[in-house]
Amino acid sequence: MTNHWLNRLVKLQQKYTQVMRGRYGRFDDLNKLLLLVWLLVSIVSRLLPFHLGTIIEGLLLGLMFYRIFSRRIVVRSNENQKFLQKLASWKRFFNRRKNSYRYFNCPSCSQKMRAPRGRGKIKVTCHNCHAQFVKKV
Ligand SMILES: [Zn+2]
């Protein structure tokens, strides 16, 4: 009985390997993103009109399986590389924004000043006229 099931399992495994031979077969970063978006869409799916959620869910899953079973391994691999590069450049873009400065003038002497962005309201002392004021950066 146990052997019987084991045999079936081995055969299934062999069949899977056979089917996947020469196919991309990888759950790469792009597919992870597709799955993540699919999960998010499936959560809000019921709130969308015209079965839009079901359609988008189907498209996302379809695209994911299409990529996994695709025989054009190099093309799929390049897709994933491009996606990773885009992701890296987005990260750089947001980090630059976070690290950039906000420029403004002193309200009493118009001295040009700068402060790092994203700190909220800060108390500024002008180094020219020593006036103090609050600035949102
Ligand atoms: Zn000033």
Side-chain angles (χ1 to χ4, degrees), residues 19-45:
V19 169
M20 294 312 285
R21 188 173 294 151
R23 294 179 195 269
Y24 189 54
R26 253 178 282 173
F27 194 63
D28 60 9
D29 309 271
L30 196 50
N31 279 342
K32 277 178 201 157
L33 177 80
L34 287 171
L35 191 70
L36 188 75
V37 178
W38 174 78
L39 275 171
L40 291 177
V41 172
S42 68
I43 291 167
V44 297
S45 166

Side-chain angles (χ1 to χ4, degrees), residues 1-64:
M1 189 68 182
T2 324
N3 268 341
H4 174 70
W5 282 106
L6 207 67
N7 271 339
R8 284 198 109 177
L9 217 66
V10 169
K11 276 207 177 115
L12 210 69
Q13 166 79 44
Q14 281 169 350
K15 200 157 196 171
Y16 178 76
T17 315
Q18 206 183 333
V19 169
M20 294 312 285
R21 188 173 294 151
R23 294 179 195 269
Y24 189 54
R26 253 178 282 173
F27 194 63
D28 60 9
D29 309 271
L30 196 50
N31 279 342
K32 277 178 201 157
L33 177 80
L34 287 171
L35 191 70
L36 188 75
V37 178
W38 174 78
L39 275 171
L40 291 177
V41 172
S42 68
I43 291 167
V44 297
S45 166
R46 283 176 200 186
L47 307 172
L48 299 173
F50 316 119
H51 301 287
L52 210 62
T54 318
I55 294 166
I56 297 170
E57 276 175 55
L59 282 174
L60 287 166
L61 272 193
L63 196 61
M64 196 180 85

Side-chain angles (χ1 to χ4, degrees), residues 49-108:
F50 316 119
H51 301 287
L52 210 62
T54 318
I55 294 166
I56 297 170
E57 276 175 55
L59 282 174
L60 287 166
L61 272 193
L63 196 61
M64 196 180 85
F65 282 114
Y66 167 76
R67 292 193 70 253
I68 288 175
F69 288 103
S70 171
R71 289 185 184 278
R72 297 163 75 191
I73 295 171
V74 179
V75 180
R76 298 287 87 81
S77 187
N78 284 345
E79 256 170 23
N80 190 51
Q81 281 306 313
K82 265 187 195 155
F83 165 68
L84 286 179
Q85 279 165 14
K86 261 240 149 65
L87 201 69
S89 73
W90 285 336
K91 273 184 188 160
R92 272 200 301 276
F93 175 75
F94 281 110
N95 280 338
R96 211 171 29 237
R97 268 192 73 91
K98 212 162 59 190
N99 295 331
S100 64
Y101 288 96
R102 178 174 282 279
Y103 293 87
F104 49 91
N105 296 324
C106 169
S108 67

